[in-house]
Amino acid sequence: MCNSIIPVIFLLFGLVLCHVGPPIIRGRPRGGFLASDPAEGPVTEDQYMVYSEIVQKVDHFNDSNTATWKQRYQYNSKFYNNQTGYVFLMLGGEGSINVTNGDKWVRHENETMMKWVAEFQTAAFQVEHRFYGSSQYSPIGDQTTSSLQLLTIDQALADINEFINQMNALYFPNDQPIWITFGGSYPGSLSAWFRETYPQQTAGAVSSSSAVHVFVDYYGYAINTEKTYRAVSDSCANVIGVAFQNLIQTAYNGATSRAALKTQFNLCDDFDESNVSKSVQFFFQNLYGYFQGINQYTGDNRNNATRSGLGVPAACQILNNATIGDEIQRVIGVLSLYDSWYSPSDSGCRPNNYTAFIQTYADTSMPNDDVISTRSWIWQTCTELGYYQTTDGGNSGIFGSTVPLDFFADQCIALFGPEYTLDKTFELIDAVREKYGHKIPNDENDVDSWLINGTAHCADMYPARDSDSQSLKDARLRIHAHLKTWLDNAQKLRTNSSFSSILSNISMFLLIAVWNLL
């Protein structure tokens, strides 16, 4: 995966393009969720770590297809007590789990799950999601539309099921292990869906900041982003609104005005005057993405940037500072704050080439982690997840109606073929919602879900600190209480000969910790 502070240069169609992805692509931050700064606290010693792979079926639902692939995993045995047999599994999602930036969840001992691993004396695993590893760890070895038919929720859940079976045979043949899955964001959804689909394999599931109720037009994201900025300062949000309205007028006021925007925003590229609509939408999507990224990770102790104050309060300090200049200049100041932590390109300019964006992620050869992860993620949003973070909430919003639904829908056609229309996306996502979304909130499943006020996306997963909000501290205690209950109940049944079948009848507790900054 492309590290968020290291530039990548691509050679495309004979052109040298300085390309780094937008700050946010369909909810996925540049570089994914795994990349991290040096660990806060101890790191597990090498002798306890295993970095290996297992053999998985390419297609779990087609017996005539005997092809296999290698799926990577990481195993930390440091704290495991075979007398109790507890195992925690962090599910990989929309990014590689390579050693350089992907092993923190099972090696950095101050991450929340790892604190509980030490307390409950569990084994800790992380497994990579199909089609997010490098080409040698891929079911097919390419990302053509034909191959991506095998990138589905059902296949991913079947991979997890087989992974648990193989780990039980390899490491715990006599232990009758008790598994609990963990995940945040999309992997959080997988954690919930796995418990729902394969209840005999686990005693519970922790599902943080997950969107288990999928839908296409996620315009509510922009609405709630505005609420967050207003919660800090109404005037701050109003500055964004004025800036966006002025920028909309400028962007659609002719080629000369757009050329001026290129200079003002230090854009790497001219606006494409042969495709003005998409070119301008791309500009606004990237601009909106800065405010998304700041909002999504405010105060979460995710990395040095957020620990050092990159967040909505810092952005609002800039936006409310009239000495910087007019509203647009203050918005540019926010972009510069963000870019001081995550460089937009090798030269420091901000990419603004929609055609290059499509060309980059149309590459099916799996050339590097950034293209692999982003192409796979866009495929999943086009075919099963949706999550199109539009500004379709209306012109009254501070971001205007700058990023419409068709901006995302047209990418599906451009990247995967003419049959991937918006109608097809609605049809496919309706099927996923019908299969999974309606079952989890069922009262019979004893789902415990709640909002963690005053915090950020997946904040409960990162290392705790004294300055955490009380709601975040309480949330970790609530998760901990569930873990203890699940493990205690399963332990009482562990010596029963029909242990695995009894697990499926244990109440289906799912923890859905939804972030909320209000």
Side-chain angles (χ1 to χ4, degrees), residues 218-483:
Y218 192 8
Y219 61 83
Y221 188 104
I223 292 172
N224 281 285
T225 297
E226 177 176 346
K227 288 181 179 178
T228 299
Y229 283 88
R230 290 201 180 280
V232 173
S233 165
D234 260 337
S235 61
C236 165
N238 291 337
V239 168
I240 298 171
V242 171
F244 265 73
Q245 286 306 310
N246 291 339
L247 287 168
I248 291 168
Q249 293 177 10
T250 302
Y252 289 102
N253 195 34
T256 301
S257 292
R258 288 187 285 274
L261 280 182
K262 177 191 175 184
T263 300
Q264 189 175 24
F265 277 83
N266 189 28
L267 304 179
C268 303
D269 315 282
D270 294 329
F271 283 86
D272 183 355
E273 295 302 324
S274 66
N275 189 6
V276 171
S277 177
K278 280 291 178 288
S279 185
V280 171
Q281 287 172 4
F282 188 62
F283 167 75
F284 279 112
Q285 192 267 330
N286 292 344
L287 182 56
Y288 168 44
Y290 277 91
F291 292 94
Q292 287 180 275
I294 290 170
N295 170 67
Q296 192 159 295
Y297 299 105
T298 292
D300 65 0
N301 206 20
R302 176 174 182 248
N303 55 25
N304 283 339
T306 55
R307 289 175 200 135
S308 300
L310 180 62
V312 174
C316 282
Q317 282 188 337
I318 294 171
L319 292 165
N320 286 332
N321 185 355
T323 65
I324 293 173
D326 65 16
E327 290 85 357
I328 292 175
Q329 287 299 322
R330 284 177 257 171
V331 162
I332 293 171
V334 173
L335 271 56
S336 297
L337 171 67
Y338 189 94
D339 290 343
S340 70
W341 289 101
Y342 308 111
S343 179
S345 70
D346 56 345
S347 66
C349 62
R350 300 180 178 106
N352 189 50
N353 190 323
Y354 179 74
T355 299
F357 171 83
I358 293 297
Q359 289 174 345
T360 297
Y361 298 116
D363 190 338
T364 65
S365 67
M366 307 186 79
N368 56 63
D369 283 356
D370 171 63
V371 172
I372 292 167
S373 296
T374 304
R375 180 170 172 82
S376 288
W377 179 240
I378 294 175
W379 165 264
Q380 287 199 273
T381 62
C382 290
T383 58
E384 289 193 309
L385 299 175
Y387 305 154
Y388 296 179
Q389 290 164 18
T390 72
T391 57
D392 288 343
N395 283 318
S396 61
I398 59 175
F399 302 106
S401 293
T402 51
V403 190
L405 188 61
D406 67 348
F407 174 76
F408 299 101
D410 289 349
Q411 290 175 28
C412 299
I413 294 172
L415 293 174
F416 306 117
E419 65 271 32
Y420 289 93
T421 63
L422 186 57
D423 283 347
K424 185 176 181 68
T425 295
F426 271 105
E427 176 186 339
L428 293 170
I429 291 170
D430 282 347
V432 171
R433 186 166 57 249
E434 181 63 29
K435 184 171 186 177
Y436 293 111
H438 295 311
K439 297 178 182 178
I440 288 176
N442 189 326
D443 290 340
E444 295 178 1
N445 289 333
D446 291 328
V447 176
D448 186 11
S449 63
W450 69 93
L451 298 176
I452 306 175
N453 292 311
T455 186
H457 191 59
C458 299
D460 55 292
M461 299 175 65
Y462 296 108
R465 53 185 173 175
D466 292 341
S467 60
D468 286 339
S469 67
Q470 190 59 49
S471 62
L472 179 55
K473 294 176 181 178
D474 291 343
R476 290 197 180 101
L477 292 174
R478 190 164 171 176
I479 299 169
H480 179 276
H482 280 296
L483 290 173

Side-chain angles (χ1 to χ4, degrees), residues 75-77 79-89 116-117 119-125 164 167-168 171-180 201-203 486-488 490-495 499 503:
Y75 171 36
N76 184 336
S77 64
F79 302 100
Y80 179 63
N81 179 354
N82 66 356
Q83 298 302 304
T84 52
Y86 300 146
V87 185
F88 288 175
L89 170 60
W116 293 330
V117 164
E119 177 186 351
F120 291 110
Q121 297 183 308
T122 85
F125 286 89
I164 290 176
M167 294 302 97
N168 285 343
Y171 296 109
F172 318 113
N174 302 309
D175 293 358
Q176 289 187 305
I178 298 167
W179 290 75
I180 291 176
Q201 291 285 47
T202 61
W486 298 337
L487 295 173
D488 287 348
Q491 192 62 234
K492 293 174 183 176
L493 303 171
R494 186 164 170 256
T495 57
F499 173 68
L503 274 184

